Amino acid sequence: MLNEKLEQAFNDQINAEFYSEYLYLSMAAYFERINLQGFKNWMNVQIQEEHAHAMGLFNYVHERNAKVTLQQIAQPKNDWESTLELFEDVYKHEQYITSKINELISIAEEVNDRAAVIFLDWYVKEQVEEESNVSNILKTLKLICNDNNCLYMFDKELASRVYTAPEIN
Ligand code: FEO
């Protein structure tokens, strides 16, 4: 079983990960509209990753013989002025998710649930990678992508991203 407060926090995190999937789906739609297929591909991989993050938590709550309670998923933003503005939003969002994971771990520690703390360690490492990936894209956009030629070339690069299912344990 999970402590009641911890169970609620896990359910909140499941919602946050599904919201992430939804937000990135909205961003993929934006890239489809402006025909940046490489950026759309990057988002499609991200969508699958977020789904895996949510399902990892979903399965863990069940593994602990606790209750998954799905919540409403908020409407994401649907329009951006530029690719740069969009990736600034992605970076802020991933920092927010990192803070949510840290809060979840604080609750697991507070209720002395060592197993949950160990399980959540995977998410801590994943967030370091998530923030780093997005930060690198943001740096490229800020430093060198001042024109459409650069954006076009960068789009080709992001087309090569491939999804690999994570092993969450
Ligand atoms: Fe599941 Fe991008 O954090």
Side-chain angles (χ1 to χ4, degrees), residues 64-109:
R64 295 294 303 273
N65 201 25
K67 184 181 175 191
V68 166
T69 307
L70 295 179
Q71 304 164 15
Q72 188 166 20
I73 299 172
Q75 182 179 19
K77 185 170 166 179
N78 278 293
D79 281 300
W80 289 268
E81 291 295 320
S82 65
T83 299
L84 175 61
E85 186 201 52
L86 182 149
F87 268 92
E88 279 170 340
D89 280 359
V90 176
Y91 192 48
K92 272 185 248 162
H93 181 67
E94 287 302 333
Q95 288 178 312
Y96 167 70
I97 293 295
T98 299
S99 73
K100 293 270 303 167
I101 293 286
N102 289 338
E103 274 173 34
L104 183 53
I105 290 172
S106 295
I107 294 168
E109 283 171 342

Side-chain angles (χ1 to χ4, degrees), residues 30-85:
Y30 168 82
F31 286 124
E32 176 65 35
R33 286 199 296 281
I34 65 170
N35 200 24
L36 282 177
Q37 296 297 328
F39 279 94
K40 189 183 90 174
N41 173 65
W42 193 94
M43 281 299 161
N44 282 340
V45 172
Q46 199 64 22
I47 288 161
Q48 292 175 82
E49 288 204 351
E50 298 305 347
H51 189 78
H53 297 168
M55 291 310 295
L57 296 159
F58 180 98
N59 292 334
Y60 184 72
V61 170
H62 284 148
E63 199 179 338
R64 295 294 303 273
N65 201 25
K67 184 181 175 191
V68 166
T69 307
L70 295 179
Q71 304 164 15
Q72 188 166 20
I73 299 172
Q75 182 179 19
K77 185 170 166 179
N78 278 293
D79 281 300
W80 289 268
E81 291 295 320
S82 65
T83 299
L84 175 61
E85 186 201 52

